[in-house]
Amino acid sequence: MNAMTYSDTDTGTRPARDEQPAGATRRIVVLTGSLRRDSYNHLLALAIAKLLPADFVAQHIRIDDLPLYNQDDDQDMLPQAQRLKREIQAADGLLFVTPEYNRSIPGVLKNAIDIASRPYGTNSFAGKPAGIVGISIGAVGTAVAQQHLRGVLAYLDAPTLAQPEVFLRYTEGMLDAWGDIHNDSTRSFLQSWVDAYVAWVNAVPARRR
């Protein structure tokens, strides 16, 4: 079974695991676009991490403590911003798990992306293979938000898995608080996406700064 790690600045309000398997060769940085304590997208991020192979480790990183992006800070970035950039730069792959707010991505996620892409010439996302998933109680299932995010990542030179796509509609009992999946068809569907994502990360070696 794969392991999951959390940033050492995690708030501790969510289930946290800090074990790392011996021989893990791929570190996947997970950015979840919802700050809600009982976020369905956080549960989805945990579920996907459990479906990764043993040589992949998922690192769920904080974005809730970041300042609002201000270009005046580019030459002297705050410690939280520097931490974010380091975590992304060290990653072998990126996983974005996002809800949809007003037919787009949440402001907290866009803010984190803006910070990690700056200052000019130090874009931390460049060359990092990425995947996007999302879950919602609505019928649209985060499809519009994901398309907006794809456009942003294309500009940032983060090659993003195109197919298959994951636009899940949440139903009661689908996922528990630890990210365990209680629906066989959902588990099978997500595993097929994870398999494609793993192949994508292995096929697109991440560029490192």
Side-chain angles (χ1 to χ4, degrees):
M1 179 179 292
N2 66 290
M4 295 178 286
T5 67
Y6 285 76
S7 209
D8 59 6
T9 51
D10 192 82
T11 61
T13 60
R14 296 169 172 169
R17 304 178 184 180
D18 57 9
E19 67 271 19
Q20 181 166 339
T25 59
R26 294 286 189 274
R27 174 175 287 130
I28 305 302
V29 159
V30 183
L31 297 100
T32 303
S34 175
L35 302 183
R36 188 169 67 90
R37 180 182 178 88
D38 298 319
S39 163
Y40 299 138
N41 281 276
H42 175 65
L43 300 183
L44 178 59
L46 295 177
I48 287 178
K50 290 186 174 186
L51 297 176
L52 291 169
D55 59 342
F56 275 59
V57 58
Q59 181 185 9
H60 301 252
I61 63 174
R62 287 189 69 177
I63 61 174
D64 64 324
D65 62 338
L66 297 170
L68 291 177
Y69 175 68
N70 183 338
Q71 192 172 356
D72 290 342
D73 297 331
D74 278 3
Q75 302 309 313
D76 187 19
M77 300 187 86
L78 294 176
Q80 304 97 302
Q82 294 180 35
R83 182 208 70 228
L84 177 71
K85 288 183 66 68
R86 287 195 304 269
E87 289 169 335
I88 292 172
Q89 289 165 1
D92 296 295
L94 308 172
L95 173 60
F96 293 86
V97 188
T98 184
E100 183 170 304
Y101 293 173
N102 301 316
R103 295 293 187 264
S104 191
I105 60 176
V108 67
L109 180 57
K110 181 60 164 60
N111 185 58
I113 292 171
D114 290 344
I115 288 173
S117 68
R118 302 291 296 184
Y120 180 79
T122 67
N123 169 23
S124 300
F125 297 102
K128 302 289 185 181
I132 306 172
V133 299
I135 188 169
S136 170
I137 60 173
V140 176
T142 76
V144 180
Q146 290 192 39
Q147 289 305 314
H148 284 192
L149 181 54
R150 287 182 185 278
V152 174
L153 294 178
Y155 174 76
L156 294 177
D157 192 26
T160 305
L161 178 67
Q163 296 289 339
E165 297 176 303
V166 174
F167 308 136
L168 281 182
R169 185 173 187 178
Y170 179 82
T171 58
E172 190 66 32
M174 177 188 289
L175 300 165
D176 66 22
W178 293 270
D180 292 320
I181 305 168
H182 297 288
N183 180 294
D184 289 341
S185 62
T186 300
R187 183 184 298 103
S188 177
F189 173 67
L190 288 177
Q191 186 65 68
S192 66
W193 184 88
V194 167
D195 292 345
Y197 173 70
V198 166
W200 180 248
V201 172
N202 286 331
V204 185
R207 296 204 302 267
R208 296 183 181 275
R209 291 188 173 276

